[in-house]
Amino acid sequence: MLTPFLAIVRKDLQLFFTDRRAVILTFAVPIAIASFMGSVLSGTGRQVQRARVTVAIADEDGSTISRSIVAGVQKDDSLTVTMATAADARERVRKGVTSVALIIPPGFGAGAGRSFFRPDAPARPQLGVLYDPSRSAEVGMVRGLFTEHAMQAVGQEMFTGATGRQTLEEALNGLDASSLEPERKQRLRTMLNDILQFQQTASAAEPAPARGVFSMPYTVNEEAVTARANVAYNAYAHSMAGMAIQFLLFAMANHGIEILLERQRGLWKRLRSAPVSRYVILAGKAASGTIISLSSLLVSFAFAIVVLGVRIEGSVIGFAAVCLACSLMAATLGVLVAALANSPATARGLTTFGILMMVMLGGAWVPMFLFPSWLQNVTLVVPVRWAVDGLDAMTWRGVGLSGAVAPTLVLLGFAVVFGAVALSRFRWEEA
Amino acid sequence: MLEIRGLRKAFGSVVAVDDVSFTIAPGQILAVLGPNGAGKTTTVSMISGLFPPDAGEIRIDGQVSRSDTDPIKRRIGLVPQDLALYDELTAQDNLNFFGALHNLTGSALDHAMAAALTLVGLGDRMRDRVKTFSGGMKRRLNLAAGLLHDPDILLLDEPTVGVDPQSRNAIFDNLEQLKDRGKALLYTTHYMEEAERLADRLVVIDRGTVVANDTLEGLYARVPKPAGGGRVTLESVFLSLTGKSLRD
């Protein structure tokens, strides 16, 4: 049985490599797209300009505080700020020109100052936030950055500025009418008097707001966690994993479609009329698919290593195991396509949709944290996720061999299931 | 050599073949004639092991094929109606593959390939890709692929569809040589003149059943001679057996 088996494998490889389009699709396209994605998403450890979120701001207040907030936001290197009227800002978001618009209403600065020292303030100023619902992830980031700049501006003005003095005096005058308990009211009065006294001293020494006395109580040290402290994140590693897997799945779906075409062209009759077991035929198909898939993965990563500086920071054996298991999974998926589809046209439609869904849910295109939690749980049954996780673990995450065990076993499990279903559902009879 | 007894096959509620029986001896060409959808290809498919019959049996020298891998299958060569070839591969690569399916390797495969290609007149084109071949050359290569493992019984399912008279004539010569070598040939066709030239015996199938199993002379004797002294043709016999209604 070895001769027919090897013949099937050799013939499939010959056919694959004579099809220039299939070779380009399997080897060159993933490299090109992964290189592009990697370069867009991040550099290879070098300092690159950070992606900025575009924000339109309408400052309808024009107070010292609002101007100070706007100045801080404009200096933020995570944001690109455009000043606009409220109507213009809304229109920009509606048309998708900017993803977020902030409307600072009249009286915002004074109201924010009053609320700063009045936990029982009757009405707090309301910041208007308009956002593009298709880019909702950016809203949280803008809100956080705005809060940082607002706290600094309000705090600085309250401790050193004219608005702050006036607000403190108003707060002290209004304290008697406050609903606070007497003891808390007395403590607050003492604190406000101390601040007022401090502010008068600071104002006399140095005109406000030349030097702030209030700032964020902490600074942030951002660190990308990679294999080791001195190893920079290489975005090409992740993009190469995603793209290579996507295109080898497409190649293997095409491998399955080839089986259907062989059936249509009468080649299957010749194959089935020979004294060859059906297991050998399907095993031969799976083996040739595995060889093509594995070649595709290894060529993609060889390119990434030589040209893009990707390194296998984890276990080389683990990397090889994940690649092999992934290739087996993809090859058996191809055979499954041939078993389940009635015609090449049906198979093409279904596999294009199915593979794009798997790739998306596997996190190759879109970060999985954007998915709702139920969908994140669903991705556990998507083989692409395990493949990407396994390759990430062995490359830039630098996890040891143990990190390859679960992805390898799960991918092999998928291969067994795909193979078993294909074997049980394969249409052997030829009319 | 090949003995078919009471073959039956149904696809759902459609009975494709019902109680078909015939035999073929070594050195004999049996032509199987029938309108479209008569059950010729289904019969050939069952004999070549593509699917099992619902009833009846197929014996080769008294033996029945028991499984996909039964060595007895090597005694049968199939030349399908479709051009079952890989267009992107060379003639040699195609034959390498089909030979390996029958466990032919090394010099045995080389000799078999050379003999088959020589027989069909393609020895000088073995390194060319099949997609560069004419329709007639592909038909001849299709025949060579079925002969590669030197089967005793050759099943030819409409092997001359779409070829020019020269290629058809070449194929006839090939089949006559094979007959002379003692091969048993089962030949399905719509072309009456082919059956008249080649067949030692003819089986006419209509609507899945055998309506005649006879020699050419025996079939001619079944219809009266035309008025005016004309000759009885196989086509007139065929139409008298199967009727003139369209079957498509």
Side-chain angles (χ1 to χ4, degrees), chain A residues 37-338:
Chain A
M37 295 284 289
S39 66
V40 166
L41 295 174
S42 169
T44 52
R46 63 184 186 276
Q47 193 63 35
V48 291
Q49 192 176 16
R50 189 186 288 198
R52 288 167 174 256
V53 177
T54 57
V55 186
I57 298 181
D59 183 4
E60 296 182 327
D61 185 20
S63 66
T64 307
I65 287 177
S66 71
R67 286 199 308 274
S68 177
I69 293 171
V70 170
V73 171
Q74 282 176 321
K75 285 177 190 165
D76 200 305
D77 65 1
S78 296
L79 301 171
T80 298
V81 177
T82 304
M83 298 307 295
T85 64
D88 186 33
R90 178 178 289 277
E91 196 61 8
R92 289 173 74 87
V93 174
R94 193 180 68 78
K95 290 179 176 172
V97 178
T98 57
S99 53
V100 185
L102 303 173
I103 314 296
I104 304 174
F108 180 87
R114 276 194 299 277
S115 302
F116 196 71
F117 292 121
R118 294 278 300 273
D120 60 341
R124 294 169 188 275
Q126 193 170 51
L127 176 75
V129 180
L130 311 173
Y131 70 95
D132 180 342
S134 69
R135 297 157 71 179
S136 55
E138 294 167 28
V139 182
M141 176 184 163
V142 172
R143 201 165 48 208
L145 291 170
F146 184 86
T147 303
E148 176 188 336
H149 294 294
M151 287 298 290
Q152 286 188 14
V154 173
Q156 183 168 308
E157 184 59 25
M158 286 304 100
F159 281 89
T160 61
T163 310
R165 271 198 304 282
Q166 190 184 337
T167 306
L168 281 167
E169 284 163 1
E170 281 175 12
L172 281 165
N173 294 336
L175 208 52
D176 288 334
S178 165
S179 59
L180 289 172
E181 293 167 9
E183 189 184 349
R184 293 185 67 190
K185 203 181 287 184
Q186 182 54 43
R187 285 182 183 168
L188 187 56
R189 177 174 281 114
T190 305
M191 186 188 83
L192 292 176
N193 276 322
D194 285 348
I195 294 171
L196 192 60
Q197 196 175 353
F198 169 82
Q199 197 201 46
Q200 285 163 350
T201 311
S203 298
E206 202 168 335
R211 185 167 59 87
V213 296
F214 188 82
S215 66
M216 287 295 285
Y218 58 88
T219 59
V220 175
N221 175 33
E222 289 184 357
E223 182 186 344
V225 180
T226 59
R228 291 185 301 278
N230 57 348
V231 175
Y233 171 61
N234 187 333
Y236 290 114
H238 177 75
S239 61
M240 191 59 78
M243 289 307 111
I245 290 164
Q246 174 177 316
F247 280 90
L248 75 82
L249 286 176
F250 276 122
M252 287 306 98
N254 205 44
H255 201 56
I257 290 167
E258 279 297 322
I259 297 175
L260 294 170
L261 288 172
E262 284 184 345
R263 198 194 283 278
Q264 266 190 353
R265 295 200 301 252
L267 285 154
W268 202 250
K269 288 182 179 174
R270 216 190 272 289
L271 206 63
R272 292 286 293 128
S273 69
V276 180
S277 109
R278 54 189 67 182
Y279 300 109
V280 168
I281 293 173
L282 286 194
K285 292 284 176 191
S288 59
T290 303
I291 292 170
I292 294 168
S293 299
L294 192 58
S295 311
S296 167
L297 271 178
L298 295 181
V299 167
S300 296
F301 273 96
F303 179 88
I305 288 168
V306 173
V307 179
L308 305 175
V310 169
R311 295 287 174 268
I312 299 172
E313 302 285 357
S315 161
V316 174
I317 294 171
F319 176 80
V322 173
C323 285
L324 184 61
C326 182
S327 302
L328 268 167
M329 178 276 295
T332 50
L333 180 69
V335 180
L336 183 64
V337 167

Side-chain angles (χ1 to χ4, degrees), chain A residues 1 3-4 7-8 11 14-15 18 262 265-267 269-278 428-431, chain B residues 9 48 50-52 68-69 73-74 78 82 84-86 89 93 97-98 100-103 105 142 145-146:
Chain A
M1 283 297 102
T3 302
I8 292 169
K11 180 268 299 174
Q14 271 182 302
L15 282 175
T18 53
E262 284 184 345
R265 295 200 301 252
L267 285 154
K269 288 182 179 174
R270 216 190 272 289
L271 206 63
R272 292 286 293 128
S273 69
V276 180
S277 109
R278 54 189 67 182
W428 292 100
E429 293 197 353
E430 288 292 328
Chain B
K9 184 72 184 180
S48 56
L50 302 189
F51 47 75
D68 287 341
T69 56
K73 287 179 79 177
R74 288 207 187 96
L78 174 66
D82 309 289
L85 302 164
Y86 293 99
L89 301 183
D93 289 336
F97 173 60
F98 296 127
L101 293 179
H102 291 274
N103 271 317
T105 54
N142 205 34

Side-chain angles (χ1 to χ4, degrees), chain B residues 67-245:
Chain B
S67 68
D68 287 341
T69 56
D70 196 321
I72 204 166
K73 287 179 79 177
R74 288 207 187 96
R75 298 191 62 189
I76 294 178
L78 174 66
V79 180
Q81 185 177 339
D82 309 289
L83 289 168
L85 302 164
Y86 293 99
D87 276 352
E88 297 301 323
L89 301 183
T90 64
Q92 186 176 24
D93 289 336
N94 268 281
L95 296 188
N96 262 325
F97 173 60
F98 296 127
L101 293 179
H102 291 274
N103 271 317
L104 286 175
T105 54
S107 59
L109 178 58
D110 292 340
H111 286 128
M113 215 161 20
L117 286 170
T118 304
L119 179 77
V120 299
L122 290 172
D124 57 338
R125 298 295 301 271
M126 65 190 292
R127 294 184 201 288
D128 293 342
R129 286 194 186 188
V130 173
K131 68 180 180 185
T132 65
F133 286 13
S134 68
M137 291 163 75
K138 286 180 182 177
R139 278 283 160 206
R140 279 144 55 203
L141 185 62
N142 205 34
L143 172 63
L147 291 173
L148 205 58
H149 58 290
D150 194 25
D152 298 321
I153 301 160
L154 197 59
L155 308 175
L156 302 122
D157 194 6
E158 301 189 32
T160 59
V161 172
V163 301
D164 59 27
Q166 285 80 6
S167 283
R168 183 179 299 179
N169 195 57
I171 290 172
F172 292 164
D173 289 346
N174 297 155
L175 299 183
E176 281 165 345
Q177 284 181 52
L178 292 167
K179 176 187 167 181
D180 292 344
R181 289 184 204 166
K183 307 291 183 192
L185 279 72
L186 187 155
Y187 188 101
T188 77
T189 184
H190 286 298
Y191 302 125
M192 302 299 147
E193 72 278 12
E194 291 185 3
E196 283 176 316
R197 170 173 168 177
L198 292 170
D200 300 304
R201 197 169 180 85
L202 299 99
V203 169
V204 181
I205 299 180
D206 190 24
R207 295 190 170 90
T209 60
V210 174
V211 295
N213 181 350
D214 212 335
T215 61
L216 195 59
E217 290 71 24
L219 287 177
Y220 286 159
R222 291 185 180 212
V223 293
K225 286 189 177 177
R231 192 172 74 86
V232 174
T233 63
L234 185 56
E235 184 161 330
S236 62
V237 176
F238 180 80
L239 289 172
S240 77
L241 289 168
T242 59
K244 293 185 177 178
S245 60

Side-chain angles (χ1 to χ4, degrees), chain B residues 16-28:
Chain B
V17 170
D18 191 16
D19 196 25
V20 167
S21 302
F22 54 80
T23 59
I24 313 175
Q28 187 181 50

Side-chain angles (χ1 to χ4, degrees), chain B residues 42-61:
Chain B
T42 303
T43 302
V44 169
S45 296
M46 284 189 281
I47 297 169
S48 56
L50 302 189
F51 47 75
D54 296 337
E57 58 182 21
I58 300 155
R59 289 183 177 276
I60 298 167
D61 284 341

